[in-house]
Amino acid sequence: MMQDKTLNGFTLPPLGPLASPGYAPIEPELRDALLLVAVPTLSAVMFQMGLHSRFFTGLRPLNPDQPRFCGAAWTVRAIPVREDIRTAISSRAAPSLNRLALDAAPEGSVVVCGSGGHPSVAFMGDIMSTALISRGVAGIVLDTGISDASLVARMSLPVVCAGRDAVSSFSAIMVVGCNEPIGVHHVAVFPGDIIVGDADGAVCVPRHLAMQIAGMAAEQERLEAYVIERVRAGVPIDIAYPPNADTLAAYRLWCAQQDSAA
């Protein structure tokens, strides 16, 4: 458990077990359960639980046909660039944390970069994407653009980002940390939180709730499959969804029949 910290006389409360203390790989069972459900369903279930800021609004898949992806968040934090530091990095008098942070991304992780929102620059392109593929990274979520987008979109690495841009991020931002809490398009992301992405975008799932959310989302998708059948049969939407008491009773009977036939 994290301890209290004092900053200029202000005591920061302990985050405790609800916020991940650092990166840890996702369990295969949890990963498989989350990959079975769509991002909109996960977002809807979390919204019902009071988690209203878990979807990365404004970020879109670079390739709408990309496969679903899931992994623990490897966080990268960027801030506005300082010119003397940029000069030192360019001359190799100082290390490039951009490269070091990505080189440290664990296999199976989802790299999540928070820069404060710089859609008009590209945090990475085809070379960094190739390097991350070779490391076995599961996906990328960026609040910046991405360069070489036509090439990266054809790669096996799923990318959710703010758009396409050819201007280097080094013109505006620089990486100052990794594996620490960040903000990405108004979403708080802690290292080790679970990121799930598909053709609709990406969500950040609190790790300690992830298995519960996966189960609720699977049940929600089963209910919605039944509702779609009812709507196709001509049942009015006002009755079918949200389901009233009669529809829920019929759904439970339908589930029992489905389970007995399995």
Side-chain angles (χ1 to χ4, degrees):
M1 180 178 294
M2 299 182 67
Q3 302 299 315
D4 289 0
K5 296 182 179 179
T6 299
L7 178 65
N8 293 333
F10 178 77
T11 300
L12 302 176
L15 293 173
L18 301 187
S20 305
Y23 176 85
I26 185 173
E27 301 84 353
E29 180 185 4
L30 175 57
R31 177 182 178 275
D32 292 345
L34 287 168
L35 283 174
L36 287 175
V37 290
V39 162
T41 308
L42 291 169
S43 180
V45 166
M46 287 190 285
F47 194 92
Q48 294 167 11
M49 297 172 67
L51 297 165
H52 298 165
S53 62
R54 300 293 83 209
F55 179 73
F56 293 101
T57 302
L59 305 184
R60 297 288 180 265
L62 187 63
N63 178 2
D65 296 323
Q66 70 180 21
R68 290 183 182 179
F69 64 94
C70 177
W74 176 256
T75 57
V76 178
R77 182 168 66 92
I79 63 172
V81 72
R82 207 177 82 179
E83 292 78 4
D84 59 326
I85 296 177
R86 177 173 61 193
T87 299
I89 293 173
S90 297
S91 65
R92 295 191 176 273
S96 168
L97 294 186
N98 293 53
R99 292 189 287 269
L100 293 176
L102 293 181
D103 278 342
E107 180 180 2
S109 66
V110 174
V111 173
V112 186
C113 179
S115 71
H118 283 80
S120 60
V121 300
F123 179 71
M124 56 186 288
D126 59 338
I127 293 177
M128 285 188 176
S129 297
T130 301
L132 292 176
I133 291 171
S134 70
R135 295 191 61 81
V137 166
I140 307 290
V141 177
L142 309 170
D143 64 358
T144 69
I146 192 164
S147 185
D148 308 305
S150 61
L151 296 175
V152 177
R154 295 196 296 270
M155 293 181 176
S156 60
L157 181 69
V159 177
V160 176
C161 62
R164 301 168 179 238
D165 207 282
V167 178
S168 170
S169 63
F170 221 25
S171 65
I173 60 175
M174 62 183 185
V175 171
V176 293
C178 61
N179 199 30
E180 61 184 66
I182 60 173
V184 184
H185 264 229
H186 310 293
V187 178
V189 183
F190 286 83
D193 278 349
I194 309 302
I195 307 298
V196 186
D198 63 14
D200 288 296
V203 289
C204 178
V205 181
R207 193 173 191 118
H208 70 289
L209 296 173
M211 188 57 81
Q212 176 188 353
I213 290 168
M216 293 173 64
E219 175 60 26
Q220 179 66 24
E221 290 201 341
R222 191 181 193 189
L223 172 60
E224 290 181 3
Y226 172 76
V227 167
I228 288 174
E229 283 192 9
R230 300 286 290 169
V231 170
R232 283 175 177 163
V235 175
I237 293 178
D238 186 52
I239 294 174
Y241 196 78
N244 61 15
D246 290 340
T247 299
L248 284 175
Y251 167 67
R252 287 190 287 270
L253 177 61
W254 178 82
C255 286
Q257 293 169 344
Q258 294 283 315
D259 293 342
S260 63

